[in-house]
Amino acid sequence: MFDALTDRLGGIFDGLTGRGALSEKDVSAALREIRVALLEADVALPVVKDFIAKVKERAVGEEVIRSVKPGQQVIKIVHDGLVDLLGGEDAETRLRVDNPPSVIMMAGLQGSGKTTTTAKIAKRLSERDKKKVLLASLDVRRPAAMEQLAVLADQLGANVTSLPIVQGQMPAEIARRALQAAKLGGHDVVFLDTAGRTSIDEQMMAEAAEIAKIAQPKESLLVADALTGQDAVETARRFHERLPLTGLVLTRMDGDGRGGAALSMRAVTGLPIKFLGTGEKLDGLDAFDAKRVAGRILG
Ligand code: GDP
């Protein structure tokens, strides 16, 4: 995660802390380098511009330049700027699942890791929060995807079950059946795993919007593949135009050495990142913590 960016920033910061006094020019030069490092990490240009402007405003003041350890001060300002960029310390990362049956709708492109992420979050809710969870796949065009969710549910113990597959039902009918089954079965949380497509199309959006209307999800999470960089950000932006999303999950963070999607997501979409996918296994899920991620980026 963020390896390339961490290396680059480390080099820039060494240059700042390696000497005692700093002039305004030194700080501006370092900020120019940070700007390039962020762009190379594939952070969206408007996000980089805004970030650098905010950091600059705080970092080139007399107070910093004249302080005993100006280099350290600049690093602290960059750190705080990253925490803000990632949604702040109090980012709303907790899932709202207190009103049983609480519906969590999962959306995203095919291959983004949506089904795996559904199982990962279900595992977490069942094991840590002792919730009884029902998983329902609405991906009627891909029987293999429906089967995959059922197989994953079987791996997750008695507290997680999948809605039996009934051939020939439409997604909206399955959503209604899932809600009914959850009420009767005393489930705390129902996941609706919506259809994934290879690209965003009108039909997909209309279908997902209809399901959101019927099921009134407490959480609607968009799953996006961090490895696709700015495409992931654009996907999230477009989904959010049509669906009442409440948060984001970025998958394949374990393979993403750049981190541009993670750093751009919040600023571009205004949505909190709730989880990071960190591996193929079902425990490869981190609750998102802006401070921890910022700390990791700075090494
Ligand atoms: P879907 O089509 O969006 O439902 O995608 P899947 O859940 O089937 O995932 C596609 C592939 O990505 C599978 O091989 C998953 O094991 C893998 N995958 C999902 N999340 C992660 C992750 O966070 N890290 C890694 N390395 N692989 C992941």
Side-chain angles (χ1 to χ4, degrees):
M1 259 190 239
F2 307 111
D3 303 347
L5 184 57
T6 302
D7 278 356
R8 282 293 301 271
L9 292 177
I12 298 167
F13 291 151
D14 284 347
L16 280 179
T17 50
R19 46 176 133 164
L22 284 182
S23 69
E24 202 167 312
K25 250 188 173 165
D26 297 327
V27 176
S28 293
L31 289 178
R32 271 198 300 279
E33 286 183 59
I34 293 173
R35 180 190 156 98
V36 175
L38 290 172
L39 288 172
E40 280 176 7
D42 196 29
V43 183
L45 179 62
V47 175
V48 175
K49 276 187 173 164
D50 191 48
F51 175 81
I52 295 292
K54 280 188 185 146
V55 170
K56 188 164 186 170
E57 199 176 301
R58 296 190 54 202
V60 296
E62 285 294 304
E63 212 179 301
V64 171
I65 307 288
R66 289 187 186 281
S67 67
V68 187
K69 288 184 172 169
Q72 290 297 346
Q73 290 263 39
V74 174
I75 295 170
K76 164 104 177 47
I77 292 168
V78 171
H79 171 270
D80 293 351
L82 286 173
V83 174
D84 278 350
L85 185 60
L86 292 163
E89 274 185 54
D90 306 319
E92 265 184 69
T93 55
R94 279 189 65 82
L95 291 176
R96 281 164 290 186
V97 287
D98 298 329
N99 235 341
S102 297
V103 177
I104 303 183
M105 181 166 133
M106 305 295 289
L109 295 178
Q110 192 175 318
S112 59
K114 188 165 50 63
T115 302
T116 309
T117 301
T118 301
K120 285 177 176 179
I121 301 176
K123 177 176 160 70
R124 188 183 166 94
L125 288 173
S126 123
E127 289 180 1
R128 293 173 52 135
D129 305 323
K130 308 293 173 222
K131 301 282 187 194
K132 188 174 175 191
V133 182
L134 181 67
L135 307 182
S137 173
L138 311 186
D139 204 347
V140 294
R141 287 173 207 80
R142 290 198 308 145
M146 300 185 90
E147 190 55 38
Q148 185 192 353
L149 193 66
V151 169
L152 288 169
D154 284 344
Q155 293 171 21
L156 291 180
N159 248 349
V160 182
T161 44
S162 62
L163 188 74
I165 299 171
V166 175
Q167 301 298 334
Q169 280 198 325
M170 297 302 286
E173 289 175 82
I174 302 175
R176 286 198 187 91
R177 185 158 58 90
L179 293 181
Q180 189 66 18
K183 275 181 199 144
L184 293 174
H187 293 86
D188 300 301
V189 182
V190 187
F191 280 88
L192 299 179
D193 187 10
T194 62
R197 307 273 168 81
T198 47
S199 64
I200 299 176
D201 61 46
E202 180 44 39
Q203 199 191 353
M204 170 195 213
M205 285 300 181
E207 186 178 299
E210 186 195 357
I211 289 160
K213 238 185 189 166
I214 292 170
Q216 297 289 316
K218 280 279 174 308
E219 297 279 355
S220 296
L221 304 180
L222 179 84
V223 179
D225 177 354
L227 285 182
T228 63
Q230 290 316 302
D231 283 348
V233 180
E234 180 59 13
T235 301
R237 199 185 60 72
R238 290 190 54 196
F239 268 85
H240 192 38
E241 278 173 3
R242 291 293 304 275
L243 297 177
L245 295 179
T246 57
L248 303 160
V249 182
L250 271 177
T251 60
R252 299 210 180 80
M253 288 299 292
D254 48 313
D256 183 19
R258 300 207 292 171
L263 282 164
S264 308
M265 272 297 183
R266 170 71 196 223
V268 173
T269 64
L271 288 165
I273 302 174
K274 299 224 175 190
F275 295 101
L276 299 177
T278 57
E280 292 195 44
K281 298 223 176 83
L282 294 184
D283 53 9
L285 186 77
D286 284 357
F288 188 78
D289 176 339
K291 226 173 150 183
R292 204 169 62 215
V293 172
R296 220 164 157 166
I297 292 170
L298 295 188

